[in-house]
Amino acid sequence: MMHMIKKILILILFSLPGYLGIAQNMTRLTVSPPSSDVTTIIDGNSIPGLVPGDTIAMTGGKYYQIIIRNINGSKNKPVIVINKGTQAVISGNPNYGVKIGGCTYLKFTGKGNITNYYGIVIKDIVTTLAAGGNGLSIDDLSTNIEVENIEIKNVTYIGLMAKTDPSCTFLPEYGSFVMHDLFIHDTYIHDIGHEGMYIGSTKFKDGYSLTCNGVNSTVSPHMIRNLKVYKNIVDSTGWDGIQVGCTDTAKIYDNKVMRDSQADSLNQMSGILIGGGCQNMDCYNNRILNGHGDALEILGQGNLKLFNNLIVSPGQGIKDVSQRKHGIFVNTSASTNPGWVYVFNNTIISPKTYGIYFINTIITSQASNNIVVVPVSNLNAIVYTQNPSLVNSYNLTLNSVTDSPGLFYDPDNGDYSLTYSSQAKDKGTDLSSFGVTFDIEQNPRPYPANGSFDKGAYEYTSGVGVIKHESDVSGLLVIPNPNKGQFKIKFFLTKPALLSVKIYNIIGKCVFDSGNKQFTINENNLNLNTAFLPGGIYMVQLSGDSIQRSVKMIVHN
């Protein structure tokens, strides 16, 4: 009886007309927060009339734990589970926050209100046990799942896990199971004990040992086909930021991974890990910053392309200074019959050990158009002694950014775009035949169209297309203006962003830098006291990834 009380099985109450006509994206079920710490179950088998294209709305409020199971949409009409009104916050259960099991063609989205970019928040999944403590899991043969606009934070173990481990319960189905079309985007995953994202199995070579009805067997993990992981922010993870395994055909792009591997746990240290069994994958336009692990660790099957990634300070700050950590580490120990790996147009700044380290021996692998700045001998910039046939061409290697004045626009403040006089400008080789036709900001390569490729993640474009998200910020004001050094900066955002506020004097010198701060959707206010500034005219600049807005300020003493 107590077990039954601890579970709320959500049923739907319809008036008669609701059964007579089913509309596309009809709200078939509205779920309300429970009044106590009990599990909310959304079971497709218990929702009368549920059809592909229907919507299940989660009313804003606090939930203890949610199970979503047996929900089946179709290719063109997924079932949508969405927050309604305000944020839906799932918190407090030590085992997991949300579990999606046995579902197909499901979209789990936090786009239910305009006030909160992350309309669903999973937080405080904390346990002292050896298992549990995951934020969001997608398992039990789930496939064709999309997750968007979700925040996951303060989780003991894994932020988001997507894979099905073999079980005697569904062993016959498991042998032929493939997880198709898994899309994870626009999430904010931070302050996680282990992996930020754990997608696919790590047992590609060895498989799982399983005993069913007294029979021992080794079962190979399922594959994921057509994976897309993009526009996510992953910050402050104990282990790997984003880990992917057993995946055939994937794109990992436009993600920001910061401060990965903070627990310094051996063999669990990378910003983005492309693990065993991964093949036919593009990893591009990612920013991997200030982690303790290898920024990109490649253990996959091959046929992998890594390009336009910005990598800053991988491995710096690690507690065990004897460990070697690299910008890009290419290995094949977790795979069989590995194929080529292409490393193109990446910018790698201050790795602890090597910039690019090739251990794989595939003769068709190639590293071209990269900028590697290694604060020790630049012989450590690109190391490939175990693959002497590696095509190593058109790379720029330096000990310091000061060795090449004007190389980057503002490296002291994290801006590694190229200047007009940059040594990397127009000095690359044409890689358009490999599909490299744009840069980290989606500006065209080469620019102009009849010009030459630049080296590194950024293509110099003379201001064309550099600011691609100006519409994300509006209403930038300094209040009051003029002022005596005490003022408020006010602006509006269409989505959360990591931004800095800088103040420049009339000769262009930066006299104040707030450092990166996380700002929220809609109105933001930042109070500043710069009474130390002499009277004069200043420019206040709001800047971040692809955002840069300025406003004039007058200071009176």
Side-chain angles (χ1 to χ4, degrees):
M1 183 66 180
M2 288 300 295
H3 178 73
M4 294 177 63
I5 293 174
K6 276 289 182 180
K7 302 282 185 180
I8 296 181
L9 184 60
I10 306 297
L11 300 177
I12 186 165
L13 298 177
F14 285 118
S15 62
L16 183 59
Y19 286 101
L20 301 179
I22 298 174
Q24 172 67 26
N25 290 332
M26 175 180 181
T27 301
R28 180 65 60 185
L29 171 68
T30 298
V31 182
S32 297
S35 58
S36 59
D37 286 345
V38 294
T39 300
T40 298
I41 300 177
I42 305 172
D43 190 334
N45 292 337
S46 302
I47 304 175
L50 182 69
V51 297
D54 278 354
T55 294
I56 298 171
M58 295 169 48
T59 303
K62 182 185 180 299
Y63 297 79
Y64 181 62
Q65 184 183 58
I66 296 177
I67 297 174
I68 303 170
R69 66 190 183 198
N70 304 319
I71 305 289
N72 297 294
S74 65
K75 182 175 182 180
N76 297 319
K77 293 182 178 182
V79 173
I80 297 172
V81 179
I82 187 170
N83 67 301
K84 176 183 177 182
T86 59
Q87 276 186 329
V89 179
I90 301 98
S91 68
N93 189 285
N95 295 313
Y96 57 85
V98 176
K99 173 184 171 68
I100 297 173
C103 295
T104 63
Y105 297 103
L106 174 75
K107 184 173 185 176
F108 186 50
T109 173
K111 280 189 171 182
N113 67 305
I114 62 172
T115 304
N116 303 106
Y117 188 73
Y118 304 110
I120 297 175
V121 178
I122 303 169
K123 67 175 186 176
D124 302 334
I125 312 301
V126 180
T127 181
T128 58
L129 302 177
N134 299 331
L136 169 63
S137 65
I138 304 169
D139 52 26
D140 290 351
L141 304 181
S142 292
T143 181
N144 304 90
I145 306 295
E146 181 175 2
V147 175
E148 65 176 9
N149 297 87
I150 310 292
E151 181 178 4
I152 303 173
K153 62 181 177 180
N154 192 26
V155 172
T156 299
Y157 287 110
I158 299 166
L160 184 154
M161 176 181 284
K163 67 186 179 81
T164 296
D165 291 337
S167 165
C168 297
T169 304
F170 44 72
L171 190 59
E173 298 93 334
Y174 191 83
S176 59
F177 173 70
V178 175
M179 177 183 273
H180 289 276
D181 298 339
L182 176 62
F183 304 150
I184 300 169
H185 61 96
D186 293 282
T187 69
Y188 181 27
I189 300 175
H190 58 104
D191 299 293
I192 307 297
H194 286 191
E195 294 91 346
M197 295 188 194
Y198 189 136
I199 302 170
S201 175
T202 59
K203 296 182 177 293
F204 176 77
K205 287 183 71 172
D206 300 327
Y208 296 87
S209 297
L210 200 63
T211 302
C212 298
N213 298 321
V215 178
N216 299 325
S217 61
T218 299
V219 181
S220 297
H222 70 80
M223 296 296 291
I224 300 174
R225 189 160 294 132
N226 193 25
L227 168 69
K228 293 182 180 179
V229 179
Y230 60 98
K231 295 183 179 177
N232 301 286
I233 300 173
V234 180
D235 187 3
S236 300
T237 59
W239 293 6
D240 311 286
I242 298 173
Q243 174 181 300
V244 178
C246 290
T247 298
D248 181 0
T249 310
K251 292 183 177 181
I252 302 174
Y253 61 97
D254 287 339
N255 301 288
K256 176 179 275 189
V257 180
M258 300 176 288
R259 291 174 284 272
D260 65 80
S261 314
Q262 297 298 294
D264 289 352
S265 180
L266 191 64
N267 300 321
Q268 306 285 353
M269 301 182 67
S270 60
I272 298 177
L273 171 62
I274 298 176
C278 288
Q279 58 187 349
N280 305 316
M281 181 180 294
D282 288 350
C283 180
Y284 60 94
N285 289 29
N286 300 289
R287 293 168 171 83
I288 308 170
L289 312 174
N290 304 314
H292 284 189
D294 301 311
L296 285 173
E297 183 173 356
I298 313 303
L299 306 176
Q301 285 290 88
N303 301 352
L304 307 172
K305 189 165 55 179
L306 320 173
F307 63 101
N308 294 346
N309 297 291
L310 173 63
I311 295 169
V312 179
S313 300
Q316 302 290 1
I318 187 173
K319 298 180 183 70
D320 182 358
V321 296
S322 67
Q323 288 196 48
R324 301 194 303 175
K325 294 300 171 185
H326 318 292
I328 298 176
F329 178 37
V330 182
N331 196 351
T332 54
S333 60
S335 292
T336 58
N337 301 317
W340 50 261
V341 177
Y342 295 150
V343 182
F344 295 148
N345 278 101
N346 301 284
T347 297
I348 303 171
I349 307 296
S350 299
K352 182 178 183 295
T353 312
Y354 302 148
I356 301 171
Y357 187 29
F358 268 88
I359 288 183
N360 83 326
T361 57
I362 305 306
I363 61 174
T364 52
S365 294
Q366 181 172 341
S368 298
N369 287 2
N370 300 285
I371 299 175
V372 183
V373 180
V374 182
V376 289
S377 169
N378 62 10
L379 294 176
N380 290 340
I382 303 175
V383 178
Y384 54 102
T385 53
Q386 297 185 51
N387 188 352
S389 299
L390 174 76
V391 178
N392 175 19
S393 62
Y394 294 90
N395 298 295
L396 175 60
T397 61
L398 300 164
N399 294 142
S400 170
V401 295
T402 59
D403 292 346
S404 180
L407 176 64
F408 300 123
Y409 184 77
D410 189 8
D412 290 342
N413 291 296
D415 185 347
Y416 296 97
S417 59
L418 305 184
T419 69
Y420 176 79
S421 60
S422 175
Q423 182 182 350
K425 180 174 171 287
D426 296 333
K427 298 295 173 58
T429 186
D430 191 328
L431 298 174
S432 56
S433 62
F434 294 92
V436 182
T437 57
F438 53 88
D439 76 347
I440 193 171
E441 297 286 0
Q442 294 292 338
N443 296 314
R445 287 191 193 272
Y447 180 83
N450 60 350
S452 299
F453 263 58
D454 297 345
K455 298 179 182 181
Y458 294 86
E459 185 81 5
Y460 179 80
T461 54
S462 187
V464 176
V466 172
I467 309 304
K468 301 186 71 67
H469 301 289
E470 277 197 333
S471 61
D472 290 347
V473 58
S474 62
L476 177 60
L477 296 173
V478 172
I479 305 171
N481 194 9
N483 59 68
K484 294 184 177 181
Q486 293 181 323
F487 59 95
K488 176 172 68 175
I489 297 173
K490 179 179 178 181
F491 57 94
F492 294 83
L493 293 174
T494 61
K495 65 179 182 180
L498 195 67
L499 303 172
S500 66
V501 175
K502 298 184 178 72
I503 301 175
Y504 293 88
N505 63 19
I506 198 168
I507 63 172
K509 180 181 179 181
C510 182
V511 295
F512 174 82
D513 184 352
S514 69
N516 286 328
K517 296 180 179 295
Q518 185 70 39
F519 293 97
T520 62
I521 193 170
N522 293 330
E523 182 176 330
N524 288 272
N525 293 279
L526 180 64
N527 293 309
L528 292 177
N529 184 349
T530 56
F532 61 88
L533 293 176
I537 298 175
Y538 296 86
M539 292 299 296
V540 178
Q541 183 185 85
L542 188 68
S543 61
D545 289 344
S546 306
I547 292 177
Q548 184 171 301
R549 298 294 294 272
S550 299
V551 62
K552 183 171 71 174
M553 178 180 71
I554 299 174
V555 173
H556 288 323
N557 287 334

